[in-house]
Amino acid sequence: SQQASGTTETFVAMAYGGGKFIAITSSGRVFTSADGASWTSTTGLSAFGPLQFGVRVAYGDGTFVAAVAPQVCVGVNCSTGNSGVFYSNDGGATWTQANFPPGSAGGVAYGNGYFLATPSVNAWISTDRGRTWTPVGSYPDPNAGQVKYGNGIFGYSTWRGVVASLDGGVTWKSYPVAGGAGNNLLFTGSRWVGVGGNRNVLVISSL
């Protein structure tokens, strides 16, 4: 059922981990919730400036990692300093900016014991909970949606279809989908599911 968040701001990114949800709003504020019904604003708000939609967040190994695309802002409140990759080891209360290359951090996911982020052209991984990052390979379509992980595969959707890596981000393969795969992809535990550009639900049994 629909629940009131306690704020009129727009939630632009959300993740669950460590027994709680976190949500990042369009102003850059971070809210947490243990049940999805009651939300509390954290005090560690300085990491993010005004944001809009180019924000992705993932959880793994006790850490939330957020990828913020450059020049993502509301109105005239734009600052390139807002972009990059940030990590939080205390449940979203405080955030630290990682040493990450400039460029659009289009997505971030956790799987196989590390985080993977997809800026510009190359895929980067972090094995130390988001602190440092290393390039591992390039991928064929920089127009990435949120990258997801499941069953040993990192994958993301584009308007052309699905792009996936079976070797931890080193090599990537495109899988064309008529009508595209939208910007949402999810692994259910047995198969991949996406929402196409024509609003069709796509079920992908294997990649």
Side-chain angles (χ1 to χ4, degrees):
S1 63
Q2 185 174 0
Q3 302 289 336
S5 65
T7 178
T8 59
E9 298 182 53
T10 301
F11 285 4
V12 296
M14 185 179 294
Y16 179 84
K20 68 171 64 177
F21 295 93
I22 70 161
I24 301 172
T25 74
S26 55
S27 73
R29 298 174 67 191
V30 179
F31 285 76
T32 65
S33 173
D35 57 9
S38 301
W39 293 85
T40 301
S41 177
T42 70
T43 57
L45 310 178
S46 60
F48 304 106
L51 309 172
Q52 198 164 14
F53 298 108
V55 186
R56 315 289 188 181
V57 61
Y59 176 85
D61 194 19
T63 301
F64 286 101
V65 172
V68 183
Q71 296 293 340
V72 177
C73 51
V74 175
V76 297
N77 299 312
C78 300
S79 171
T80 56
N82 294 338
S83 66
V85 171
F86 301 80
Y87 61 90
S88 173
N89 300 134
D90 56 8
T94 59
W95 296 80
T96 301
Q97 187 165 12
N99 183 13
F100 196 80
S104 176
V108 62
Y110 181 85
N112 204 29
Y114 53 85
F115 286 94
L116 181 142
T118 55
S120 298
V121 178
N122 294 316
W124 293 65
I125 65 169
S126 173
T127 58
D128 58 2
R129 304 171 72 194
R131 291 175 176 81
T132 60
W133 295 81
T134 303
V136 292
S138 60
Y139 50 91
D141 194 332
N143 301 307
Q146 167 65 313
V147 62
K148 296 294 179 66
Y149 176 84
N151 197 31
I153 299 172
F154 287 98
Y156 64 88
S157 57
T158 76
W159 64 273
R160 295 186 183 93
V162 175
V163 179
S165 173
L166 283 68
D167 57 9
V170 177
T171 60
W172 297 78
K173 181 178 178 180
S174 295
Y175 298 84
V177 175
N183 58 7
N184 290 293
L185 193 66
L186 177 68
F187 186 72
T188 66
S190 60
R191 57 189 178 180
W192 292 86
V193 177
V195 179
N198 55 5
R199 298 186 181 181
N200 290 333
V201 176
L202 310 173
V203 178
I204 306 166
S205 58
S206 63
L207 289 175

